[in-house]
Amino acid sequence: MITVTLIGSGNVAHHLIHRILESDTLVLQQIYARNLEGIHADLDRSIVTDVIESLKPADLFIVAVSDNAIEEVTDKIQVPNQLVVHVSGNTPMDCIASKHRAGVLYMLQTFSKDQKTDFSSIPFCLEAESDTDLKLLKEFALHFSKHIYFINSIQRQIIHLAAVFVNNFSNHMFVIGEQICQEHQVPFEILKPLIMETALKVQHLSPLNAQTGPALRNDTKTIARHLELLKNTEQQTIYKLITHSIQENNV
Amino acid sequence: MITVTLIGSGNVAHHLIHRILESDTLVLQQIYARNLEGIHADLDRSIVTDVIESLKPADLFIVAVSDNAIEEVTDKIQVPNQLVVHVSGNTPMDCIASKHRAGVLYMLQTFSKDQKTDFSSIPFCLEAESDTDLKLLKEFALHFSKHIYFINSIQRQIIHLAAVFVNNFSNHMFVIGEQICQEHQVPFEILKPLIMETALKVQHLSPLNAQTGPALRNDTKTIARHLELLKNTEQQTIYKLITHSIQENNV
């Protein structure tokens, strides 16, 4: 039995709350939100509060607020000697007010409020000041997923940086693909199976070995033709730079 | 009943041959390969030839050879007035020797010889000089997939260009993600579910609406920290350029 208090009313808090309520061995002790309007209407109001000073002790406090607010919010938790963790990929553990036993519970996934989250495939990156607390965090996380990693604050920053490349930047390649299609009245949906295959391929193959295409083959004729077809200067610059980078990696 | 002759012994020819042999309404008439060693041993040798001049008439000739060889190979097919199609994304239809009825059957997917191909999700991009031939090509393609598109040579070049972005270039973002992880002893597998989610998200959402991250939020503090963490100059340049491009797209 682990008693948990949730702080925050955003997407992460929302999904954690609902998953905790489904569990027999996790107890949702309290929810704090600055603005109670963000809290789902069907929750038991007796455990919901907007007075942070009124929070009682719990085995685990999860602070799911914006990165900038972590220090201030954790400082306002009055009850002493609690395990208080944040859920941010990009914030060091020591941003948690030093009066607490600090920890981090970082789930490497994007959450949308409208869509039910399948926690079972999400990697949980855990950090804590003490082994005892790390053990409790692991016990908690195992209710959600078996993909548990012990990751320190520096490694977590690295994961966050790598995630920008594999998620935000690859998505931007999809954006450019869609723009090129739109300019020439080609339905973007033609490319969707290829996008799926690209992601599937690196699930069992190193991306370096999965690479194909004109850059890798140094097919200069095709590369020149592609640069001619691109009318947008920034898209041309991106094409040249990434082509060069692919070739550098395969010398 | 459609009689088909296959020219080539590469991955595309290999997969098409096996799928045609499974069908009751497609007849594999002949296979030509310059080098018979590339032809699978369990094929009926009576239909395999390395003498291109010996090919008999068929409803459809599929030329699955390298882009550079299309013109020369199709010129060597002696039997007159046949429907001859190539399978290249990047070659205009008129590269087929002009004595034939030309067409294109472009499957937008990468094929590996070792792995069985699920044709049913592959988009087939068809082009032909006449409506009658286009109809026959469609009838043929429907044996493989219901994702059939009529795409002219210019549009096909555009699709090929867009595919470089969504496939080769996004895969290169995975390569950089893996390199960043390796440099800091973080297992790359942590990022694999996120890669899958990134691809899944754009199956039902426009990539422009799927974008998240520090670039979109103009989170200058995180961007500066990420640039500090990147030790590789080219990775820094890519980070800056794509961050800028994401922001340009969302002004």
Side-chain angles (χ1 to χ4, degrees):
Chain A
M1 210 67 134
I2 302 176
T3 56
V4 186
T5 286
L6 241 302
I7 296 182
S9 58
N11 290 342
V12 179
H14 173 84
H15 287 285
L16 284 174
I17 287 168
H18 284 272
R19 186 66 192 79
I20 292 168
L21 288 174
E22 281 167 24
S23 160
D24 294 331
T25 47
L26 299 175
V27 178
L28 186 60
Q29 179 135 308
Q30 280 180 291
I31 303 168
Y32 163 78
R34 203 172 41 181
N35 185 347
L36 293 185
E37 278 166 29
I39 297 292
H40 205 284
D42 63 4
L43 284 174
D44 173 4
R45 304 317 277 184
S46 72
I47 63 165
V48 177
T49 177
D50 58 359
V51 184
I52 196 162
E53 293 77 8
S54 75
L55 293 176
K56 292 171 288 185
D59 293 327
L60 176 60
F61 284 71
I62 300 176
V63 180
V65 300
S66 67
D67 293 5
N68 299 331
I70 292 172
E71 198 153 2
E72 192 192 328
V73 167
T74 57
D75 195 45
K76 282 192 187 150
I77 301 174
Q78 304 291 321
V79 47
N81 196 33
Q82 302 294 297
L83 171 57
V84 177
V85 306
H86 71 64
V87 298
S88 163
N90 208 33
T91 310
M93 180 167 68
D94 60 16
C95 270
I96 289 170
S98 59
K99 62 184 168 183
H100 303 295
R101 287 147 42 213
V104 180
L105 177 92
Y106 172 48
M107 293 154 280
L108 187 62
Q109 197 69 295
T110 56
F111 294 89
S112 330
K113 208 156 196 167
D114 307 331
Q115 230 173 331
K116 206 178 151 131
T117 297
D118 173 20
F119 279 104
S120 68
S121 64
I122 297 180
F124 277 65
C125 303
L126 310 180
E127 185 179 10
E129 286 174 327
S130 80
D131 286 349
T132 319
D133 287 341
L134 198 56
K135 221 174 127 185
L136 186 130
L137 269 184
K138 184 183 174 184
E139 191 189 331
F140 174 79
L142 279 171
H143 283 82
F144 295 79
S145 168
K146 55 182 198 305
H147 304 288
I148 309 285
Y149 300 88
F150 298 135
I151 295 290
N152 65 35
S153 291
I154 292 160
Q155 288 175 312
R156 198 170 54 252
Q157 280 198 324
I158 290 299
I159 292 171
H160 190 258
L161 168 61
V164 166
F165 279 90
V166 307
N167 175 335
N168 306 153
F169 289 0
S170 68
N171 184 74
H172 190 60
M173 299 301 116
F174 307 157
V175 169
I176 295 176
E178 187 177 46
Q179 286 168 344
I180 293 168
C181 286
Q182 281 168 348
E183 279 161 26
H184 296 85
Q185 285 81 48
V186 169
F188 178 62
E189 61 169 43
I190 293 187
L191 292 164
K192 289 182 178 176
L194 186 63
I195 289 174
M196 279 312 296
E197 211 214 27
T198 308
L200 269 169
K201 218 170 165 186
V202 298
Q203 301 298 310
H204 57 88
L205 208 65
S206 161
L208 203 59
N209 298 327
Q211 193 57 277
T212 59
L216 187 76
R217 290 193 306 272
N218 195 22
D219 176 350
T220 48
K221 211 174 124 188
T222 299
I223 292 167
R225 177 78 187 117
H226 281 170
L227 288 170
E228 219 174 276
L229 285 167
L230 288 169
K231 298 292 169 234
N232 176 313
T233 327
E234 190 150 68
Q235 288 174 357
Q236 281 178 344
T237 311
I238 291 173
Y239 189 102
K240 282 186 220 165
L241 180 61
I242 300 182
T243 292
H244 181 262
S245 180
I246 290 173
Q247 294 179 340
E248 284 290 298
N249 269 290
N250 288 281
V251 171
Chain B
M1 208 67 131
I2 303 176
T3 55
V4 186
T5 286
L6 241 300
I7 297 182
S9 57
N11 290 342
V12 180
H14 173 85
H15 286 285
L16 284 174
I17 287 169
H18 284 274
R19 186 69 191 77
I20 292 170
L21 288 173
E22 283 167 21
S23 159
D24 293 331
T25 47
L26 300 175
V27 178
L28 187 60
Q29 180 135 310
Q30 280 180 290
I31 304 168
Y32 163 78
R34 203 173 39 182
N35 185 346
L36 293 184
E37 278 166 29
I39 298 291
H40 205 285
D42 62 5
L43 284 174
D44 174 4
R45 304 316 278 184
S46 73
I47 62 166
V48 177
T49 179
D50 58 358
V51 184
I52 197 161
E53 293 79 8
S54 75
L55 293 176
K56 293 172 286 185
D59 295 327
L60 175 61
F61 284 71
I62 301 176
V63 180
V65 299
S66 67
D67 294 4
N68 299 331
I70 292 172
E71 199 153 2
E72 194 192 326
V73 168
T74 57
D75 195 44
K76 284 193 187 149
I77 301 173
Q78 304 291 322
V79 49
N81 196 33
Q82 302 295 296
L83 171 57
V84 177
V85 306
H86 73 62
V87 298
S88 162
N90 207 33
T91 310
M93 181 167 67
D94 61 15
C95 271
I96 289 169
S98 59
K99 60 182 170 186
H100 304 296
R101 289 148 42 214
V104 181
L105 178 92
Y106 173 48
M107 293 154 280
L108 187 62
Q109 196 69 293
T110 56
F111 294 89
S112 331
K113 208 156 197 169
D114 308 332
Q115 230 172 332
K116 207 180 149 128
T117 299
D118 174 19
F119 279 104
S120 68
S121 64
I122 297 181
F124 277 66
C125 303
L126 309 181
E127 185 178 12
E129 286 174 329
S130 80
D131 285 350
T132 319
D133 287 341
L134 198 56
K135 222 175 124 185
L136 186 129
L137 269 185
K138 184 184 173 183
E139 192 189 330
F140 173 81
L142 280 170
H143 283 83
F144 296 80
S145 167
K146 54 183 200 303
H147 304 288
I148 310 285
Y149 299 89
F150 298 137
I151 296 291
N152 65 35
S153 290
I154 293 161
Q155 288 175 313
R156 197 171 53 253
Q157 281 198 323
I158 291 300
I159 292 172
H160 190 257
L161 168 61
V164 166
F165 278 91
V166 307
N167 176 332
N168 306 153
F169 288 1
S170 69
N171 185 75
H172 190 59
M173 299 302 116
F174 306 157
V175 169
I176 296 176
E178 187 177 45
Q179 286 169 344
I180 293 168
C181 286
Q182 281 168 348
E183 279 161 27
H184 296 85
Q185 284 83 47
V186 170
F188 178 61
E189 61 169 44
I190 293 187
L191 292 163
K192 289 183 178 176
L194 185 63
I195 289 175
M196 280 311 298
E197 211 215 27
T198 307
L200 269 168
K201 217 170 165 185
V202 297
Q203 301 298 310
H204 57 88
L205 208 66
S206 162
L208 203 59
N209 298 326
Q211 193 57 278
T212 58
L216 186 76
R217 290 193 307 271
N218 194 21
D219 176 351
T220 48
K221 210 174 127 189
T222 298
I223 293 168
R225 178 78 187 116
H226 281 171
L227 287 171
E228 217 174 280
L229 285 168
L230 287 170
K231 298 293 169 232
N232 177 312
T233 327
E234 190 149 69
Q235 288 174 357
Q236 280 177 344
T237 311
I238 292 173
Y239 189 102
K240 281 185 219 164
L241 180 62
I242 300 182
T243 293
H244 181 262
S245 180
I246 290 172
Q247 293 179 340
E248 283 291 297
N249 269 290
N250 289 282
V251 171

